[in-house]
PDB file of all heavy atoms in Angstrom:
ATOM      1  N   THR A   1      -1.623 -14.656  -6.186  1.00 96.00           N
ATOM      2  CA  THR A   1      -1.133 -13.604  -5.379  1.00 96.00           C
ATOM      3  C   THR A   1      -0.060 -14.167  -4.385  1.00 96.00           C
ATOM      4  O   THR A   1      -0.172 -15.345  -4.183  1.00 96.00           O
ATOM      5  CB  THR A   1      -2.339 -13.020  -4.608  1.00 96.00           C
ATOM      6  OG1 THR A   1      -2.899 -13.989  -3.756  1.00 96.00           O
ATOM      7  CG2 THR A   1      -3.420 -12.415  -5.457  1.00 96.00           C
ATOM      8  N   TRP A   2       0.757 -13.336  -3.855  1.00 97.00           N
ATOM      9  CA  TRP A   2       1.707 -13.736  -2.864  1.00 97.00           C
ATOM     10  C   TRP A   2       1.866 -12.499  -1.931  1.00 97.00           C
ATOM     11  O   TRP A   2       1.666 -11.398  -2.306  1.00 97.00           O
ATOM     12  CB  TRP A   2       2.967 -14.394  -3.346  1.00 97.00           C
ATOM     13  CG  TRP A   2       3.721 -13.523  -4.321  1.00 97.00           C
ATOM     14  CD1 TRP A   2       4.918 -12.913  -4.044  1.00 97.00           C
ATOM     15  CD2 TRP A   2       3.569 -13.486  -5.655  1.00 97.00           C
ATOM     16  NE1 TRP A   2       5.390 -12.291  -5.228  1.00 97.00           N
ATOM     17  CE2 TRP A   2       4.553 -12.667  -6.302  1.00 97.00           C
ATOM     18  CE3 TRP A   2       2.452 -13.947  -6.652  1.00 97.00           C
ATOM     19  CZ2 TRP A   2       4.545 -12.391  -7.607  1.00 97.00           C
ATOM     20  CZ3 TRP A   2       2.539 -13.578  -7.903  1.00 97.00           C
ATOM     21  CH2 TRP A   2       3.568 -12.726  -8.436  1.00 97.00           C
ATOM     22  N   SER A   3       2.232 -12.867  -0.692  1.00 98.00           N
ATOM     23  CA  SER A   3       2.426 -11.770   0.329  1.00 98.00           C
ATOM     24  C   SER A   3       3.678 -12.067   1.197  1.00 98.00           C
ATOM     25  O   SER A   3       4.212 -13.168   1.266  1.00 98.00           O
ATOM     26  CB  SER A   3       1.229 -11.763   1.290  1.00 98.00           C
ATOM     27  OG  SER A   3      -0.013 -11.609   0.631  1.00 98.00           O
ATOM     28  N   LEU A   4       4.160 -11.012   1.804  1.00 98.00           N
ATOM     29  CA  LEU A   4       5.217 -10.999   2.700  1.00 98.00           C
ATOM     30  C   LEU A   4       4.826 -10.443   3.982  1.00 98.00           C
ATOM     31  O   LEU A   4       4.659  -9.207   4.074  1.00 98.00           O
ATOM     32  CB  LEU A   4       6.531 -10.261   2.077  1.00 98.00           C
ATOM     33  CG  LEU A   4       7.727 -10.313   2.799  1.00 98.00           C
ATOM     34  CD1 LEU A   4       8.436 -11.782   2.810  1.00 98.00           C
ATOM     35  CD2 LEU A   4       8.762  -9.321   2.323  1.00 98.00           C
ATOM     36  N   GLN A   5       4.792 -11.072   5.029  1.00 98.00           N
ATOM     37  CA  GLN A   5       4.633 -10.630   6.381  1.00 98.00           C
ATOM     38  C   GLN A   5       5.920 -10.307   7.091  1.00 98.00           C
ATOM     39  O   GLN A   5       6.718 -11.257   7.126  1.00 98.00           O
ATOM     40  CB  GLN A   5       3.842 -11.668   7.306  1.00 98.00           C
ATOM     41  CG  GLN A   5       3.566 -11.218   8.621  1.00 98.00           C
ATOM     42  CD  GLN A   5       2.784 -10.028   8.664  1.00 98.00           C
ATOM     43  OE1 GLN A   5       1.640  -9.971   7.916  1.00 98.00           O
ATOM     44  NE2 GLN A   5       3.023  -9.119   9.593  1.00 98.00           N
ATOM     45  N   MET A   6       6.218  -9.047   7.471  1.00 98.00           N
ATOM     46  CA  MET A   6       7.391  -8.599   7.966  1.00 98.00           C
ATOM     47  C   MET A   6       7.174  -8.216   9.383  1.00 98.00           C
ATOM     48  O   MET A   6       6.348  -7.346   9.680  1.00 98.00           O
ATOM     49  CB  MET A   6       7.991  -7.389   7.191  1.00 98.00           C
ATOM     50  CG  MET A   6       8.015  -7.744   5.713  1.00 98.00           C
ATOM     51  SD  MET A   6       8.758  -6.412   4.610  1.00 98.00           S
ATOM     52  CE  MET A   6       7.559  -5.204   4.917  1.00 98.00           C
ATOM     53  N   ASN A   7       7.806  -8.965  10.329  1.00 98.00           N
ATOM     54  CA  ASN A   7       7.655  -8.610  11.838  1.00 98.00           C
ATOM     55  C   ASN A   7       9.021  -8.171  12.351  1.00 98.00           C
ATOM     56  O   ASN A   7      10.064  -8.567  11.653  1.00 98.00           O
ATOM     57  CB  ASN A   7       7.191  -9.874  12.571  1.00 98.00           C
ATOM     58  CG  ASN A   7       5.766 -10.248  12.116  1.00 98.00           C
ATOM     59  OD1 ASN A   7       4.943  -9.458  11.627  1.00 98.00           O
ATOM     60  ND2 ASN A   7       5.498 -11.663  12.122  1.00 98.00           N
ATOM     61  N   SER A   8       8.900  -7.638  13.532  1.00 98.00           N
ATOM     62  CA  SER A   8      10.159  -7.186  14.109  1.00 98.00           C
ATOM     63  C   SER A   8      11.078  -6.375  13.241  1.00 98.00           C
ATOM     64  O   SER A   8      12.267  -6.757  13.147  1.00 98.00           O
ATOM     65  CB  SER A   8      10.876  -8.464  14.704  1.00 98.00           C
ATOM     66  OG  SER A   8      10.085  -9.123  15.612  1.00 98.00           O
ATOM     67  N   LEU A   9      10.531  -5.419  12.502  1.00 98.00           N
ATOM     68  CA  LEU A   9      11.297  -4.744  11.594  1.00 98.00           C
ATOM     69  C   LEU A   9      12.455  -3.909  12.126  1.00 98.00           C
ATOM     70  O   LEU A   9      12.261  -3.312  13.376  1.00 98.00           O
ATOM     71  CB  LEU A   9      10.368  -3.787  10.733  1.00 98.00           C
ATOM     72  CG  LEU A   9       9.498  -4.588   9.662  1.00 98.00           C
ATOM     73  CD1 LEU A   9       8.321  -3.751   9.182  1.00 98.00           C
ATOM     74  CD2 LEU A   9      10.320  -4.851   8.425  1.00 98.00           C
ATOM     75  N   LYS A  10      13.512  -3.847  11.385  1.00 98.00           N
ATOM     76  CA  LYS A  10      14.560  -3.080  11.842  1.00 98.00           C
ATOM     77  C   LYS A  10      15.007  -1.987  10.853  1.00 98.00           C
ATOM     78  O   LYS A  10      14.422  -2.045   9.724  1.00 98.00           O
ATOM     79  CB  LYS A  10      15.872  -4.025  11.908  1.00 98.00           C
ATOM     80  CG  LYS A  10      15.680  -5.256  12.808  1.00 98.00           C
ATOM     81  CD  LYS A  10      16.945  -6.139  12.662  1.00 98.00           C
ATOM     82  CE  LYS A  10      16.752  -7.386  13.403  1.00 98.00           C
ATOM     83  NZ  LYS A  10      17.910  -8.277  13.352  1.00 98.00           N
ATOM     84  N   SER A  11      15.683  -0.943  11.341  1.00 97.00           N
ATOM     85  CA  SER A  11      15.994   0.168  10.410  1.00 97.00           C
ATOM     86  C   SER A  11      16.821  -0.420   9.162  1.00 97.00           C
ATOM     87  O   SER A  11      16.490   0.244   8.075  1.00 97.00           O
ATOM     88  CB  SER A  11      16.985   1.194  11.058  1.00 97.00           C
ATOM     89  OG  SER A  11      17.995   0.534  11.573  1.00 97.00           O
ATOM     90  N   GLU A  12      17.481  -1.336   9.313  1.00 97.00           N
ATOM     91  CA  GLU A  12      18.269  -1.995   8.071  1.00 97.00           C
ATOM     92  C   GLU A  12      17.378  -2.630   7.177  1.00 97.00           C
ATOM     93  O   GLU A  12      17.716  -3.097   6.024  1.00 97.00           O
ATOM     94  CB  GLU A  12      19.340  -2.884   8.548  1.00 97.00           C
ATOM     95  CG  GLU A  12      18.979  -4.007   9.530  1.00 97.00           C
ATOM     96  CD  GLU A  12      19.383  -3.593  10.902  1.00 97.00           C
ATOM     97  OE1 GLU A  12      18.978  -2.558  11.274  1.00 97.00           O
ATOM     98  OE2 GLU A  12      19.843  -4.457  11.697  1.00 97.00           O
ATOM     99  N   ASP A  13      16.130  -2.829   7.507  1.00 98.00           N
ATOM    100  CA  ASP A  13      15.117  -3.379   6.507  1.00 98.00           C
ATOM    101  C   ASP A  13      14.492  -2.272   5.531  1.00 98.00           C
ATOM    102  O   ASP A  13      13.790  -2.573   4.599  1.00 98.00           O
ATOM    103  CB  ASP A  13      13.891  -4.054   7.151  1.00 98.00           C
ATOM    104  CG  ASP A  13      14.351  -5.318   8.024  1.00 98.00           C
ATOM    105  OD1 ASP A  13      15.084  -6.071   7.520  1.00 98.00           O
ATOM    106  OD2 ASP A  13      13.782  -5.313   9.150  1.00 98.00           O
ATOM    107  N   THR A  14      14.841  -0.966   5.761  1.00 98.00           N
ATOM    108  CA  THR A  14      14.480   0.084   4.999  1.00 98.00           C
ATOM    109  C   THR A  14      14.938  -0.193   3.526  1.00 98.00           C
ATOM    110  O   THR A  14      16.270  -0.399   3.287  1.00 98.00           O
ATOM    111  CB  THR A  14      14.938   1.432   5.573  1.00 98.00           C
ATOM    112  OG1 THR A  14      14.297   1.697   6.722  1.00 98.00           O
ATOM    113  CG2 THR A  14      14.621   2.520   4.577  1.00 98.00           C
ATOM    114  N   ALA A  15      14.021  -0.195   2.554  1.00 98.00           N
ATOM    115  CA  ALA A  15      14.476  -0.498   1.216  1.00 98.00           C
ATOM    116  C   ALA A  15      13.160  -0.324   0.223  1.00 98.00           C
ATOM    117  O   ALA A  15      12.140  -0.148   0.779  1.00 98.00           O
ATOM    118  CB  ALA A  15      15.085  -1.937   1.063  1.00 98.00           C
ATOM    119  N   VAL A  16      13.540  -0.401  -1.013  1.00 98.00           N
ATOM    120  CA  VAL A  16      12.298  -0.564  -1.982  1.00 98.00           C
ATOM    121  C   VAL A  16      12.262  -2.062  -2.172  1.00 98.00           C
ATOM    122  O   VAL A  16      13.243  -2.817  -2.415  1.00 98.00           O
ATOM    123  CB  VAL A  16      12.646   0.085  -3.344  1.00 98.00           C
ATOM    124  CG1 VAL A  16      11.554  -0.193  -4.349  1.00 98.00           C
ATOM    125  CG2 VAL A  16      12.821   1.585  -3.041  1.00 98.00           C
ATOM    126  N   TYR A  17      10.981  -2.582  -1.942  1.00 98.00           N
ATOM    127  CA  TYR A  17      10.720  -3.904  -2.029  1.00 98.00           C
ATOM    128  C   TYR A  17      10.040  -4.356  -3.221  1.00 98.00           C
ATOM    129  O   TYR A  17       9.018  -3.520  -3.700  1.00 98.00           O
ATOM    130  CB  TYR A  17       9.818  -4.374  -0.861  1.00 98.00           C
ATOM    131  CG  TYR A  17      10.569  -4.570   0.444  1.00 98.00           C
ATOM    132  CD1 TYR A  17      11.165  -3.453   1.094  1.00 98.00           C
ATOM    133  CD2 TYR A  17      10.883  -5.711   0.942  1.00 98.00           C
ATOM    134  CE1 TYR A  17      11.854  -3.597   2.205  1.00 98.00           C
ATOM    135  CE2 TYR A  17      11.670  -5.913   2.137  1.00 98.00           C
ATOM    136  CZ  TYR A  17      12.053  -4.854   2.823  1.00 98.00           C
ATOM    137  OH  TYR A  17      12.776  -4.918   3.991  1.00 98.00           O
ATOM    138  N   TYR A  18      10.492  -5.286  -4.128  1.00 98.00           N
ATOM    139  CA  TYR A  18       9.937  -5.675  -5.411  1.00 98.00           C
ATOM    140  C   TYR A  18       9.404  -7.021  -5.248  1.00 98.00           C
ATOM    141  O   TYR A  18      10.082  -7.999  -4.806  1.00 98.00           O
ATOM    142  CB  TYR A  18      11.058  -5.639  -6.469  1.00 98.00           C
ATOM    143  CG  TYR A  18      11.681  -4.290  -6.661  1.00 98.00           C
ATOM    144  CD1 TYR A  18      12.779  -3.840  -5.972  1.00 98.00           C
ATOM    145  CD2 TYR A  18      11.156  -3.373  -7.597  1.00 98.00           C
ATOM    146  CE1 TYR A  18      13.349  -2.669  -6.080  1.00 98.00           C
ATOM    147  CE2 TYR A  18      11.605  -2.198  -7.834  1.00 98.00           C
ATOM    148  CZ  TYR A  18      12.856  -1.803  -7.078  1.00 98.00           C
ATOM    149  OH  TYR A  18      13.437  -0.476  -7.342  1.00 98.00           O
ATOM    150  N   CYS A  19       8.100  -7.216  -5.906  1.00 97.00           N
ATOM    151  CA  CYS A  19       7.715  -8.624  -6.037  1.00 97.00           C
ATOM    152  C   CYS A  19       8.277  -9.145  -7.387  1.00 97.00           C
ATOM    153  O   CYS A  19       8.520  -8.287  -8.218  1.00 97.00           O
ATOM    154  CB  CYS A  19       6.239  -8.804  -5.904  1.00 97.00           C
ATOM    155  SG  CYS A  19       5.235  -7.909  -7.127  1.00 97.00           S
ATOM    156  N   GLN A  20       8.507 -10.444  -7.434  1.00 98.00           N
ATOM    157  CA  GLN A  20       9.148 -11.030  -8.481  1.00 98.00           C
ATOM    158  C   GLN A  20       8.398 -12.391  -8.835  1.00 98.00           C
ATOM    159  O   GLN A  20       7.952 -12.925  -7.965  1.00 98.00           O
ATOM    160  CB  GLN A  20      10.687 -11.350  -8.204  1.00 98.00           C
ATOM    161  CG  GLN A  20      11.418 -12.057  -9.269  1.00 98.00           C
ATOM    162  CD  GLN A  20      11.539 -13.641  -8.874  1.00 98.00           C
ATOM    163  OE1 GLN A  20      11.140 -14.049  -7.851  1.00 98.00           O
ATOM    164  NE2 GLN A  20      12.041 -14.300  -9.782  1.00 98.00           N
ATOM    165  N   ALA A  21       8.383 -12.724 -10.132  1.00 97.00           N
ATOM    166  CA  ALA A  21       7.806 -14.018 -10.496  1.00 97.00           C
ATOM    167  C   ALA A  21       8.585 -14.539 -11.719  1.00 97.00           C
ATOM    168  O   ALA A  21       9.140 -13.695 -12.593  1.00 97.00           O
ATOM    169  CB  ALA A  21       6.364 -13.802 -10.941  1.00 97.00           C
ATOM    170  N   ARG A  22       8.745 -15.844 -11.688  1.00 96.00           N
ATOM    171  CA  ARG A  22       9.516 -16.628 -12.734  1.00 96.00           C
ATOM    172  C   ARG A  22       8.587 -17.450 -13.414  1.00 96.00           C
ATOM    173  O   ARG A  22       7.915 -18.393 -12.676  1.00 96.00           O
ATOM    174  CB  ARG A  22      10.670 -17.306 -12.200  1.00 96.00           C
ATOM    175  CG  ARG A  22      11.391 -18.121 -13.238  1.00 96.00           C
ATOM    176  CD  ARG A  22      12.852 -18.464 -12.663  1.00 96.00           C
ATOM    177  NE  ARG A  22      13.604 -17.259 -12.385  1.00 96.00           N
ATOM    178  CZ  ARG A  22      14.887 -17.354 -11.836  1.00 96.00           C
ATOM    179  NH1 ARG A  22      15.297 -18.527 -11.386  1.00 96.00           N
ATOM    180  NH2 ARG A  22      15.628 -16.337 -11.786  1.00 96.00           N
ATOM    181  N   ASP A  23       8.463 -17.307 -14.803  1.00 94.00           N
ATOM    182  CA  ASP A  23       7.482 -18.189 -15.500  1.00 94.00           C
ATOM    183  C   ASP A  23       8.036 -19.564 -15.799  1.00 94.00           C
ATOM    184  O   ASP A  23       9.371 -19.902 -15.465  1.00 94.00           O
ATOM    185  CB  ASP A  23       7.012 -17.494 -16.723  1.00 94.00           C
ATOM    186  CG  ASP A  23       7.994 -17.254 -17.754  1.00 94.00           C
ATOM    187  OD1 ASP A  23       8.945 -17.812 -17.799  1.00 94.00           O
ATOM    188  OD2 ASP A  23       7.702 -16.468 -18.671  1.00 94.00           O
ATOM    189  N   TRP A  24       7.435 -20.458 -16.656  1.00 93.00           N
ATOM    190  CA  TRP A  24       7.901 -21.732 -16.914  1.00 93.00           C
ATOM    191  C   TRP A  24       9.068 -21.775 -17.813  1.00 93.00           C
ATOM    192  O   TRP A  24       9.568 -22.892 -18.137  1.00 93.00           O
ATOM    193  CB  TRP A  24       6.771 -22.541 -17.371  1.00 93.00           C
ATOM    194  CG  TRP A  24       5.659 -22.459 -16.328  1.00 93.00           C
ATOM    195  CD1 TRP A  24       4.391 -21.768 -16.350  1.00 93.00           C
ATOM    196  CD2 TRP A  24       5.507 -23.369 -15.079  1.00 93.00           C
ATOM    197  NE1 TRP A  24       3.795 -21.921 -15.271  1.00 93.00           N
ATOM    198  CE2 TRP A  24       4.445 -22.959 -14.424  1.00 93.00           C
ATOM    199  CE3 TRP A  24       6.399 -24.201 -14.572  1.00 93.00           C
ATOM    200  CZ2 TRP A  24       4.035 -23.485 -13.177  1.00 93.00           C
ATOM    201  CZ3 TRP A  24       6.120 -24.935 -13.363  1.00 93.00           C
ATOM    202  CH2 TRP A  24       4.808 -24.482 -12.742  1.00 93.00           C
ATOM    203  N   ASN A  25       9.330 -20.564 -18.513  1.00 94.00           N
ATOM    204  CA  ASN A  25      10.504 -20.443 -19.324  1.00 94.00           C
ATOM    205  C   ASN A  25      11.692 -19.830 -18.637  1.00 94.00           C
ATOM    206  O   ASN A  25      12.693 -19.355 -19.401  1.00 94.00           O
ATOM    207  CB  ASN A  25      10.297 -19.760 -20.599  1.00 94.00           C
ATOM    208  CG  ASN A  25       9.164 -20.462 -21.411  1.00 94.00           C
ATOM    209  OD1 ASN A  25       9.296 -21.703 -21.818  1.00 94.00           O
ATOM    210  ND2 ASN A  25       8.092 -19.923 -21.955  1.00 94.00           N
ATOM    211  N   SER A  26      11.614 -19.652 -17.251  1.00 94.00           N
ATOM    212  CA  SER A  26      12.664 -19.061 -16.602  1.00 94.00           C
ATOM    213  C   SER A  26      12.877 -17.498 -16.761  1.00 94.00           C
ATOM    214  O   SER A  26      13.978 -16.996 -16.642  1.00 94.00           O
ATOM    215  CB  SER A  26      14.046 -19.678 -16.698  1.00 94.00           C
ATOM    216  OG  SER A  26      13.985 -21.007 -16.244  1.00 94.00           O
TER     217      SER A  26
END
């Protein structure tokens, strides 16, 4: 698992956020 703590959010942070993972074969 992994997490993203977002503080002091701004209007320009508005977006769709995607988690991403890269395996050992890139």
Side-chain angles (χ1 to χ4, degrees):
T1 61
W2 55 102
S3 301
L4 183 71
Q5 178 65 41
M6 305 185 292
N7 298 329
S8 303
L9 283 160
K10 305 175 182 180
S11 57
E12 50 263 45
D13 295 317
T14 295
V16 177
Y17 285 70
Y18 298 90
C19 67
Q20 173 262 353
R22 177 163 293 176
D23 69 15
W24 303 98
N25 294 312
S26 297

